[in-house]
């Protein structure tokens, strides 16, 4: 019998040590180093001899011009939001990791997609039984019957099934439950995760099959297991949202085949996740009467324009020190805007509590929402509502000047599409739009805006 080999791994960053020590020298965390048994048998390979001959293993160096990209046509996932976040569909041979908190809907999303796909899909679950998955699938209206469900955690057995059924797409729920025979330590440990991912990468690259992995995240929001897991895969997606809200946001944290600025929005319903194709609708609270303290901003998330609602509450401070709080907006920037209003526009906000909130629970760092923040604060402070057909897209500078923003035309078009009558933009923005119905109110200073709204 081969001698068992043990190695010490930092459970935080994955650094490897020959012996135990109290602090990880690499990430400086204390008490994170644990012993794991590695290497039991010969080195692993995902396939058996039968398929090995089918696959041409020897790689040759090629000129860029010689590389054939014609087979790189992507798999359409039949889900517009996921396709956009992936940069146009699943790339053959790619490994995609989907992370998110427990109960957020990772399994639901991937099961729903595998039930819609026109390709033969293998859904491997180490977390739920086939009956449980069937129960979940019954809630989701499925269109095709191409999806095979396997409940298995041992990678060697999974690969045996893959060889037998030859699926077009493989989904693994979740990487933390997988277990390889070649490593002794328990499922979910760093060496297991690393080994199983390596086997899956080899399989994906050699057969050009896209593999989707579900990964758990730890309480501080990182994908459980070593950071190297994120380095190994091609794409890291994050599924986030508040479990008490119905909206879920899918974003790419890393993408070797597309941009990371795209965002997908879903709504969790009784019958699975629904794609939200017009996010502006959900982010603006529907109301008939006009209330003071709210303003609409035209912002951009990735390439997509988005109308969001800013709410502000300005009230006299009860305690000595006034409170300032911002949800979804940078607090430092809020303080800066309050200082600008005080100094340049003569509003006495120094002794007031100011609360700012972006509705829908999203967080925005686009400077183009500054003017809407100013408008919401002034509207609350003066208790004068802003007409609900007005919206804003401009940055506010330290001198109280209204500054131009990027891609203003797209923002204006989105506002027009949603039926706004007037958009406030900087005088210095070059706008070459023609035939627009929406009125563009050009402003240069905060005083102009105050004059126009409350004057
Ligand atoms: P799940 O996909 O199991 O989460 P994860 O895999 O990320 O842990 O999500 C389960 C939650 O979603 C659960 O609280 C029930 C809810 N849900 C619905 O609201 N509608 C549905 O159609 C389904 C299948 C689940
Ligand atoms: Mg799950």
């Amino acid at each position: 019998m081969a001698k068992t080999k043990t190695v010490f791994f930092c459970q935080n960053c994955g650094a490897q040590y020959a012996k135990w020590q109290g602090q990880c020298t690499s990430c400086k965390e204390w008490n994170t180093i644990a012993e794991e048994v590695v290497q039991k048998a010969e080195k692993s390979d995902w396939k058996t001899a039968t398929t090995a001959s089918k696959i041409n293993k020897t790689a040759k160096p090629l000129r860029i011009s010689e590389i054939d990209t014609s087979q790189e046509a992507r798999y359409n996932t039949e889900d517009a939001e996921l396709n956009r976040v992936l940069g146009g569909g699943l790339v053959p041979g790619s490994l995609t990791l989907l992370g998110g908190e427990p109960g957020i809907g990772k399994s639901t999303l991937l099961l729903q997609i595998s039930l819609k796909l026109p390709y033969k899909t293998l859904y491997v679950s180490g977390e739920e039984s086939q009956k449980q998955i069937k129960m979940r699938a019954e809630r989701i209206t499925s269109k095709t019957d191409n999806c095979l469900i396997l409940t298995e955690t041992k990678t060697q057995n999974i690969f045996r099934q893959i060889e037998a059924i030859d699926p077009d797409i493989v989904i693994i729920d979740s990487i933390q439950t997988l277990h390889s025979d070649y490593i002794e330590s328990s499922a979910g440990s760093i060496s297991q995760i690393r080994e199983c991912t390596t086997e899956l990468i080899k399989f994906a690259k050699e057969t050009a099959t896209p593999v989707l992995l579900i990964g758990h995240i730890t309480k501080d929001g990182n994908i459980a297991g070593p950071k190297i897991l994120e380095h190994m895969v091609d794409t890291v997606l994050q599924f986030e949202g508040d479990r008490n809200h119905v909206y879920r946001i899918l974003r790419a944290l890393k993408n070797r085949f597309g941009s990371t600025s795209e965002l997908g929005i879903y709504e969790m319903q009784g019958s699975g996740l629904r794609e939200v194709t017009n996010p502006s609708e959900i982010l603006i609270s529907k109301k008939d009467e006009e209330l003071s303290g709210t303003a609409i901003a035209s912002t951009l998330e990735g390439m997509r324009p988005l109308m969001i609602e800013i709410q502000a509450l300005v009230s006299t401070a009860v305690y000595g020190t006034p409170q300032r709080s911002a949800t979804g907006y940078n607090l430092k920037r809020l303080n800066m805007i309050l200082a600008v209003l005080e100094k340049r526009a003569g509003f006495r906000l120094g002794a007031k509590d100011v609360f700012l909130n972006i509705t829908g629970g999203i967080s925005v760092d686009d400077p183009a929402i500054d003017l809407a923040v100013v408008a919401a604060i002034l509207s609350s402070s003066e208790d004068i509502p802003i007409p609900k057909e007005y919206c804003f897209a401009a940055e506010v500078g330290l001198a109280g000047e209204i500054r131009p923003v990027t891609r203003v035309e797209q923002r204006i078009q989105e506002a027009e599409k949603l039926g706004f009558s007037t958009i406030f933009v900087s005088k210095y923005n070059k706008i070459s739009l023609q035939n627009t119905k929406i009125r563009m109110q050009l402003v240069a200073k905060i005083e102009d805006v105050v004059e126009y709204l409350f004057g």
Side-chain angles (χ1 to χ4, degrees), residues 100-112 123 127-128 135-137 139-140 173 214 216 239 243 248 268-273:
E101 282 180 31
I104 205 80
K106 304 180 293 297
S107 308
T108 306
L109 178 67
L110 291 193
L111 183 67
Q112 177 173 341
Y123 185 96
E127 309 216 324
E128 288 156 293
M135 270 156 58
R136 188 199 294 269
R139 299 177 69 176
I140 306 164
D173 186 4
I214 289 180
H216 294 168
F239 206 36
R243 240 184 303 170
R248 303 280 185 272
M268 181 60 100
Q269 295 182 330
S271 55
L273 290 155

Side-chain angles (χ1 to χ4, degrees), residues 2-9 16 35-41 181-186 189-192 194-195:
K3 191 168 168 273
T4 46
K5 189 178 163 213
T6 65
V7 172
F8 295 82
F9 285 106
Q16 190 176 332
E35 183 175 21
E36 288 183 15
V37 185
V38 295
Q39 197 192 354
K40 208 169 102 193
D181 263 352
Y182 300 109
I183 299 277
E184 185 99 308
S185 58
S186 59
S189 67
I190 295 201
S191 38
Q192 278 292 3
R194 183 153 40 181
E195 173 63 23

Side-chain angles (χ1 to χ4, degrees), residues 250-270:
L250 183 70
R251 61 170 94 233
L253 302 182
K254 163 185 175 181
N255 193 350
R256 285 192 183 142
F257 316 109
S259 100
T260 51
S261 54
E262 290 302 340
L263 228 174
I265 303 184
Y266 293 89
E267 182 180 352
M268 181 60 100
Q269 295 182 330

Side-chain angles (χ1 to χ4, degrees), residues 165-215:
I165 61 180
D166 191 24
D168 296 321
I169 294 175
V170 176
I171 294 174
I172 309 274
D173 186 4
S174 62
I175 183 71
Q176 277 88 2
T177 58
L178 286 195
H179 179 268
S180 168
D181 263 352
Y182 300 109
I183 299 277
E184 185 99 308
S185 58
S186 59
S189 67
I190 295 201
S191 38
Q192 278 292 3
I193 292 179
R194 183 153 40 181
E195 173 63 23
C196 296
T197 312
T198 315
E199 288 176 21
L200 285 166
I201 289 180
K202 260 196 188 153
F203 157 73
K205 302 285 174 231
E206 287 178 15
T207 60
T209 310
V211 177
L212 284 153
L213 299 174
I214 289 180

Side-chain angles (χ1 to χ4, degrees), residues 120-317:
K120 196 199 270 182
T121 318
L122 179 67
Y123 185 96
V124 185
S125 178
E127 309 216 324
E128 288 156 293
S129 68
Q130 279 163 321
K131 277 213 188 79
Q132 282 174 310
I133 296 171
K134 165 109 199 205
M135 270 156 58
R136 188 199 294 269
E138 274 166 356
R139 299 177 69 176
I140 306 164
T141 36
S142 69
K143 282 197 215 135
T144 62
D145 204 14
N146 297 330
C147 177
L148 296 164
I149 308 287
L150 173 69
T151 44
E152 179 60 72
T153 54
K154 205 186 266 185
T155 52
Q156 280 73 25
N157 292 349
I158 295 172
F159 289 132
R160 208 162 295 141
Q161 294 297 336
I162 288 177
E163 279 177 52
I165 61 180
D166 191 24
D168 296 321
I169 294 175
V170 176
I171 294 174
I172 309 274
D173 186 4
S174 62
I175 183 71
Q176 277 88 2
T177 58
L178 286 195
H179 179 268
S180 168
D181 263 352
Y182 300 109
I183 299 277
E184 185 99 308
S185 58
S186 59
S189 67
I190 295 201
S191 38
Q192 278 292 3
I193 292 179
R194 183 153 40 181
E195 173 63 23
C196 296
T197 312
T198 315
E199 288 176 21
L200 285 166
I201 289 180
K202 260 196 188 153
F203 157 73
K205 302 285 174 231
E206 287 178 15
T207 60
T209 310
V211 177
L212 284 153
L213 299 174
I214 289 180
H216 294 168
I217 63 172
T218 57
K219 61 177 184 304
D220 47 353
N222 295 317
I223 291 174
K227 257 288 187 243
I228 37 170
L229 183 58
E230 287 177 45
H231 291 300
M232 285 161 90
V233 300
D234 298 302
T235 306
V236 181
L237 305 180
Q238 176 121 319
F239 206 36
E240 55 191 42
D242 192 331
R243 240 184 303 170
N244 304 322
H245 283 83
V246 288
Y247 297 108
R248 303 280 185 272
I249 292 175
L250 183 70
R251 61 170 94 233
L253 302 182
K254 163 185 175 181
N255 193 350
R256 285 192 183 142
F257 316 109
S259 100
T260 51
S261 54
E262 290 302 340
L263 228 174
I265 303 184
Y266 293 89
E267 182 180 352
M268 181 60 100
Q269 295 182 330
S271 55
L273 290 155
R274 182 182 72 92
E275 297 165 38
V276 176
T277 38
N278 190 355
S280 296
E281 271 175 11
I282 63 162
L283 294 171
I284 299 174
S285 64
K286 294 167 190 73
K287 54 179 193 293
D288 290 332
E289 79 234 73
E290 288 174 339
L291 300 172
S292 68
T294 67
I296 312 286
S298 183
T299 174
L300 291 171
E301 266 291 351
M303 300 299 283
R304 199 151 53 145
L306 203 65
M307 304 300 287
I308 55 167
E309 183 175 313
I310 319 269
Q311 297 189 323
L313 178 66
V314 178
S315 63
T316 310

Side-chain angles (χ1 to χ4, degrees), residues 63-134:
R63 287 176 211 283
I64 289 275
S65 59
E66 288 168 0
I67 299 173
D68 180 19
T69 51
S70 57
Q71 50 154 5
E72 292 297 309
R74 298 181 181 229
Y75 288 91
N76 178 358
T77 61
E78 302 283 318
D79 182 304
E81 303 292 300
L82 180 65
N83 277 348
R84 190 183 37 246
V85 175
L86 287 172
L90 279 171
V91 173
S94 67
L95 230 75
T96 306
L97 177 68
L98 174 68
E101 282 180 31
I104 205 80
K106 304 180 293 297
S107 308
T108 306
L109 178 67
L110 291 193
L111 183 67
Q112 177 173 341
I113 283 160
S114 35
L115 291 173
K116 270 199 287 189
L117 282 175
Y119 312 101
K120 196 199 270 182
T121 318
L122 179 67
Y123 185 96
V124 185
S125 178
E127 309 216 324
E128 288 156 293
S129 68
Q130 279 163 321
K131 277 213 188 79
Q132 282 174 310
I133 296 171
K134 165 109 199 205

